Amino acid sequence: MDYDTWEPVYAALLEAFGYGRDGDERARNRLAELVGTAETYDPTELDGDGATIAIAGAGPSLEAEADRAAAADLVFAASTAADRLEAVGVAVDCQVTDLDKTPETTRALSESGTPVAVHAHGDNVPAVERHVPSLELSAVVPTTQAEPAPPVVNFGGFTDGDRAAFLADHLGAADLIFVGWDFDDPAVDPEKREKLRWAERLLHWLERRRGERFAVLDGRRDDIEPIEG
């Protein structure tokens, strides 16, 4: 994802949620400081080019759909989806997280050499400061939703789940399959519901950019406000 293409969408997200760009930039800079000059993980080592990549969300349907993740070439898990897939015997190849839940899983994955895409944004600087120093940095892909500033990168996306999809697209995935995605989960609070609405819009944008149709959006497209570009 080219930042010039992403930036108008990012600006719309900031406006929709009332977030400040400066907070994201401070978080990005703090993550860069914590990573320092360490050699971080090059995600191209995941060999995603031409692969079928399962994008695992942490919705209620995840365990029932775990066999579909297991059949994929690679599994990218959003946050706690990594724990839940591991619990049913499905290994993940990358975790995408902003460290808001189970940071011990992120630490264990990094120590095992499994890459973790660690995201910094305006609301999670304390978590970044608390947990990043405990990670094996050679397994960390540091990410931002603001303008990238190496070593911190931006592949596009907003929530852990859709960031995983944008990462898979960046790596050249031939097919994206979605498991554990429940846009209408009644258990989520209003802010999370709005984030899911944006995740839906972002996936719709991504599928159009790829010339593809994601099955997870079937029956929903007519009600999705499209993102232009």
Side-chain angles (χ1 to χ4, degrees):
M1 172 62 64
D2 179 82
Y3 182 70
D4 288 341
T5 302
W6 168 249
E7 198 281 333
V9 181
Y10 172 50
L13 282 161
L14 293 176
E15 182 177 3
F17 287 91
Y19 297 156
R21 190 183 297 254
D22 56 346
D24 285 341
E25 291 173 350
R26 283 195 299 270
R28 173 202 63 199
N29 295 344
R30 186 63 181 128
L31 178 57
E33 290 171 358
L34 291 167
V35 170
T37 59
E39 184 175 349
T40 54
Y41 188 83
D42 178 358
T44 61
E45 294 183 23
L46 283 165
D47 197 22
D49 191 25
T52 295
I53 301 182
I55 310 300
S61 64
L62 178 59
E63 285 78 6
E65 299 178 343
D67 58 336
R68 296 177 55 229
D73 297 317
L74 296 169
V75 179
F76 290 3
S79 187
T80 57
D83 306 79
R84 291 167 56 189
L85 286 174
E86 294 272 3
V88 294
V90 179
V92 302
D93 298 286
C94 180
Q95 184 196 41
V96 178
T97 179
D98 66 356
L99 300 171
D100 65 335
K101 300 182 180 74
T102 63
E104 63 278 6
T105 298
T106 305
R107 181 170 58 252
L109 287 169
S110 75
E111 290 173 349
S112 73
T114 301
V116 290
V118 174
H119 192 69
H121 55 74
D123 291 340
N124 77 333
V125 173
V128 167
E129 293 179 330
R130 185 178 310 116
H131 301 299
V132 168
S134 72
L135 303 179
E136 176 53 57
L137 293 178
S138 63
V140 171
V141 182
T143 69
T144 179
Q145 57 206 26
E147 185 172 2
V152 185
V153 293
N154 183 343
F155 302 115
F158 178 55
T159 72
D160 290 337
D162 56 77
R163 285 202 312 277
F166 277 84
L167 172 58
D169 174 70
H170 173 79
L171 295 178
D175 296 291
L176 303 183
I177 62 173
F178 295 83
V179 299
W181 283 72
D182 297 274
F183 291 113
D184 299 320
D185 183 358
V188 302
D189 62 32
E191 182 179 16
K192 178 62 175 178
R193 189 170 297 113
E194 182 65 7
K195 287 181 177 180
L196 286 172
R197 188 181 75 84
W198 268 95
E200 188 177 49
R201 293 184 69 193
L202 287 165
L203 292 187
H204 183 39
W205 184 47
L206 181 61
E207 70 169 6
R208 289 187 291 118
R209 290 176 57 82
R210 288 173 58 87
E212 193 173 348
R213 289 174 72 86
F214 301 147
V216 72
L217 298 180
D218 288 351
R220 309 184 65 86
R221 291 181 184 85
D222 288 347
D223 296 322
I224 298 174
E225 181 183 355
I227 293 172
E228 301 303 325

